[in-house]
Amino acid sequence: MSKTPIEFIFLTFGERTHYHSQLIYSMISLVAHSPLERPYHFTIVTDKPEFYQWLDGDLFTVVQVEESILSEWRGPFDFFWRIKIEAILYVAKKNSEHHCVYFDTDTIAYTDLSLLYDALDNGLNHMHVKEFEFESTKGRTGKKMKTHGLGKTYGDFTLTKQSAMWNAGVVAISAKNDPVQTLNSALTACDAMCDDGMERKLIEQFSLSLALQANKLSDAEDCIRHYWGNKPQWDNLITEFFTRVFLKGLSFNDAVEMFKLQSHDLPDVVKETKLEKYKNSIAKRYNKLTGKL
């Protein structure tokens, strides 16, 4: 019996090469931990296709997007992270019979992915981890969103105390759950929340959470690591990895085998001290005032 193919989707743009290196490293990790019998394909949505010339063969498709498309994807309320939903939807429309699996660049697979793929076959969507439900949220952003939106309807979804926020470092939609319709529902909810003046910080993530949990939804943290809170250490590891790949003249498949021997004894999140938080806060304010953000 043939297995439903996995369509892996990545999105990155801009000149900062460490994001592009993270993306390729994430792809390598997925190949290293995917069972041989499962067909899969990678689509990379980017404005820098020249950064992906090392990737050769039918396994990879690089979709170049111009600034005009990125501007269009920001939508009627000029919301930057709406681009993420649009990019996933763009690829899902071209591969509607595949499981639709998006990863942020700062993720890696760290164990066999068979259970994740089998769960998708059975109609179970995945995001990285549940962050909070409205009923129990304690964070500043969650409280603001709860106060603003509880009881309101955005698109297909009415917010209740059980409405949950999931981390969108992983967005995996089973082919059984109509990825295109699911993502269109997320877009509609996203635009409705923007129109209503909802706290914007996590709107695209919350919209995806609502859309995916309309069907069965589970976490993916048992096989995927998301190092959003410790990028400097991980970037150093990845830079060293690709330096060795370059110096040895290795192919992508060679790099996959090298990855299998790589140690990842690094934390995914490093908590800032109070002094570091203060310094970073000052730096962000300065950059905002000087137009660097």
Side-chain angles (χ1 to χ4, degrees), residues 63-220:
V63 176
Q64 181 175 6
V65 286
E66 304 294 341
E67 183 60 38
S68 59
I69 297 298
L70 294 175
S71 295
E72 179 183 328
W73 284 357
R74 292 169 75 114
F77 303 99
D78 194 30
F79 178 45
F80 179 80
W81 285 113
R82 188 181 186 276
I83 291 172
K84 180 172 177 174
I85 307 175
E86 285 276 19
I88 303 171
L89 177 60
Y90 176 88
V91 179
K93 286 179 177 178
K94 297 179 179 298
N95 303 279
S96 59
E97 302 302 314
H98 296 187
H99 297 315
C100 172
V101 182
Y102 165 88
F103 289 98
D104 278 350
T105 60
D106 54 351
T107 60
I108 65 162
Y110 69 93
T111 191
D112 183 75
L113 295 168
S114 296
L115 292 179
L116 173 63
Y117 297 164
D118 290 345
L120 289 169
D121 288 341
N122 291 320
L124 183 61
N125 296 331
H126 288 75
M127 294 181 72
H128 186 243
V129 64
K130 184 189 286 188
E131 295 188 341
F132 61 79
E133 293 181 348
F134 268 7
E135 187 172 32
S136 58
T137 182
K138 297 179 180 179
R140 176 178 172 274
T141 300
K143 287 181 178 179
K144 289 178 70 173
M145 295 179 78
K146 174 182 175 181
T147 299
H148 186 94
L150 190 63
K152 293 183 179 180
T153 298
Y154 299 102
D156 298 329
F157 314 110
T158 299
L159 305 191
T160 70
K161 290 182 178 180
Q162 286 70 49
S163 296
M165 175 77 77
W166 292 71
N167 185 283
V170 177
V171 179
I173 309 171
S174 169
K176 289 188 174 182
N177 296 331
D178 194 343
V180 171
Q181 178 57 47
T182 298
L183 292 161
N184 275 321
S185 294
L187 270 182
T188 301
C190 179
D191 289 343
M193 282 189 265
C194 286
D195 189 29
D196 188 48
M198 175 75 83
E199 169 73 25
R200 282 197 175 197
K201 185 177 180 181
L202 296 173
I203 282 183
E204 108 285 342
Q205 177 168 284
F206 191 39
S207 302
L208 288 164
S209 300
L210 293 170
L212 269 71
Q213 64 192 287
N215 297 107
K216 293 183 290 184
L217 177 60
S218 184
D219 66 78

Side-chain angles (χ1 to χ4, degrees), residues 181 249 264 270 273:
Q181 178 57 47
H264 295 103
V270 175
T273 65

Side-chain angles (χ1 to χ4, degrees), residues 16-28:
R16 296 182 179 179
T17 55
H18 59 277
Y19 292 131
H20 301 277
S21 297
Q22 289 173 8
L23 189 159
I24 297 176
Y25 196 73
S26 182
M27 289 198 305
I28 288 170

Side-chain angles (χ1 to χ4, degrees), residues 12-15 20 45-52 62 64-65:
T12 192
F13 40 85
E15 295 285 350
H20 301 277
V45 181
T46 183
D47 63 344
K48 295 290 182 239
E50 63 270 22
F51 288 170
Y52 298 94
V62 179
Q64 181 175 6
V65 286

Side-chain angles (χ1 to χ4, degrees), residues 15 30 37 73 78 92 112 120 162 165 207 227 231 233 235 239 241 278:
E15 295 285 350
L30 293 167
E37 71 275 9
W73 284 357
D78 194 30
D112 183 75
L120 289 169
Q162 286 70 49
M165 175 77 77
S207 302
Y227 53 89
K231 291 185 182 181
Q233 289 188 47
D235 281 340
T239 297
F241 180 88
Y278 175 74

